[in-house]
Amino acid sequence: MLGIVNVTADSFSDGGRYFDPARAIEHGLAMREQGADLVDVGGESTRPGAEPVAVDEELRRVMPVVEALVKEGVAVSVDTLKPEVMRAAIDAGCAVVNDVNAFRAPGAVEAVANSKAGVIVMHMQGTPQTMQEDPRYADVVGEVASFLRDRARVLEEAGVAKERIALDPGFGFGKTLEHNKALFRALPVLASMGYPILAGVSRKGMIGALTGRPVGERAAGSVAAALLAVQNGASLVRVHDVRETVDAINVWVALR
Ligand code: HH2
């Protein structure tokens, strides 16, 4: 399980709450105590319409948090699409690089290839600025699967061992509710590709659409979705509500 820390002012659910590094670090440590296997630190919001952040600013936001959490023995992943941030985080001891852009930025593949870091490869149609305007697919599951397979191949050819790679269909990244539902139901198909699958649905618009709740009231819907994602074959879930999600999964494991 990945616990989310957004060191941003504008993230859709926790924007501004952990912009102060001390609060972000404290939150990361708390999520580790609650059972997060990885703390996912991001300094650039990728919500629909978000403005890009300059490299220097992103480094200034995430590095103090990454460094402090690594020092405390927390397993950290860095949520970035910039090779400079990937390299700095890896040098600081970051275990995993999580790229919503699937390592398509020039230099991104190289940044992780020359390291031992795990990688999370996510599918996104378009860019965060425009991705939710009119997403279209002829076959959403087939297109997402073949994109992820191609990106995994590029990484493997660059020297990233298959065991280091996890794939993520990218819920909400250039997808309508119907696309998200189709991908969610297809998690077993994606898992059959032979890589661990990550599902990130926590507090997202799809949970809002299914529950009618604003972003601050989506914890229960998110926990249900995380549990179903694991039952559908996801090996990893990326969540804001770590304690609640851990409880739900433990109860399921004990009672199934
Ligand atoms: N979703 C978000 C950010 N990073 N990474 C992966 N691998 N999968 C996801 O589904 C994913 C992700 C968006 O959520 P959040 O970090 O809460 O918000 P924001 O992008 O506004 O910071």
Side-chain angles (χ1 to χ4, degrees):
M1 182 175 310
L2 281 77
I4 303 168
V5 182
N6 288 313
V7 195
T8 59
D10 57 346
S11 286
F12 78 93
S13 83
D14 57 357
R17 270 185 84 177
Y18 308 112
F19 199 41
D20 169 15
R23 293 194 63 184
I25 294 161
E26 194 186 325
H27 188 55
L29 291 172
M31 287 196 296
R32 190 247 314 256
E33 294 314 308
Q34 292 168 4
D37 304 292
L38 277 167
V39 172
D40 192 42
V41 181
E44 176 175 51
S45 174
T46 48
R47 75 178 157 74
E51 287 302 318
V53 171
V55 178
D56 288 353
E57 172 63 11
E58 192 176 329
L59 285 168
R60 203 182 58 72
R61 292 180 184 183
V62 299
M63 290 313 296
V65 180
V66 169
E67 283 162 6
L69 290 175
V70 168
K71 203 163 147 221
E72 293 290 337
V74 176
V76 175
S77 63
V78 67
D79 184 351
T80 186
L81 42 79
K82 297 191 184 72
E84 296 87 345
V85 179
M86 294 177 189
R87 278 198 299 272
I90 290 169
D91 287 347
C94 198
V96 173
V97 177
N98 171 25
D99 184 357
V100 299
N101 195 36
F103 301 89
R104 286 178 292 173
V109 169
E110 293 73 16
V112 291
N114 302 317
S115 79
K116 294 194 165 36
V119 297
I120 298 166
V121 180
M122 199 196 80
H123 175 273
M124 167 167 61
Q125 184 183 84
T127 64
Q129 288 71 52
T130 57
M131 65 190 181
Q132 288 307 104
E133 280 169 15
D134 185 21
R136 282 169 195 260
Y137 301 83
D139 165 16
V140 66
V141 174
E143 287 171 44
V144 168
S146 88
F147 171 87
L148 293 174
R149 195 177 296 112
D150 289 349
R151 294 311 299 164
R153 195 168 302 139
V154 168
L155 285 156
E156 286 169 43
E157 280 166 7
V160 180
K162 187 175 180 191
E163 296 70 40
R164 288 168 52 195
I165 302 175
L167 305 180
D168 179 346
F171 291 104
F173 285 84
K175 280 125 193 153
T176 63
L177 179 60
E178 289 311 312
H179 297 141
N180 288 322
K181 283 160 87 174
L183 286 166
F184 201 94
R185 294 196 186 103
L187 285 170
V189 177
L190 299 177
S192 73
M193 288 163 61
Y195 300 85
I197 301 296
L198 182 146
V201 292
S202 190
R203 301 186 187 172
K204 283 188 179 171
M206 64 184 281
I207 304 296
L210 296 171
T211 59
R213 303 262 177 220
V215 79
E217 297 173 18
R218 294 181 189 163
S222 300
V223 170
L227 186 59
L228 278 167
V230 174
Q231 291 173 357
N232 270 3
S235 305
L236 296 157
V237 285
R238 181 180 179 278
V239 306
H240 298 90
D241 303 291
V242 172
R243 186 190 354 235
E244 292 80 354
T245 313
V246 167
D247 282 358
I249 291 173
N250 284 342
V251 168
W252 169 59
V253 168
L255 298 184
R256 71 181 147 168

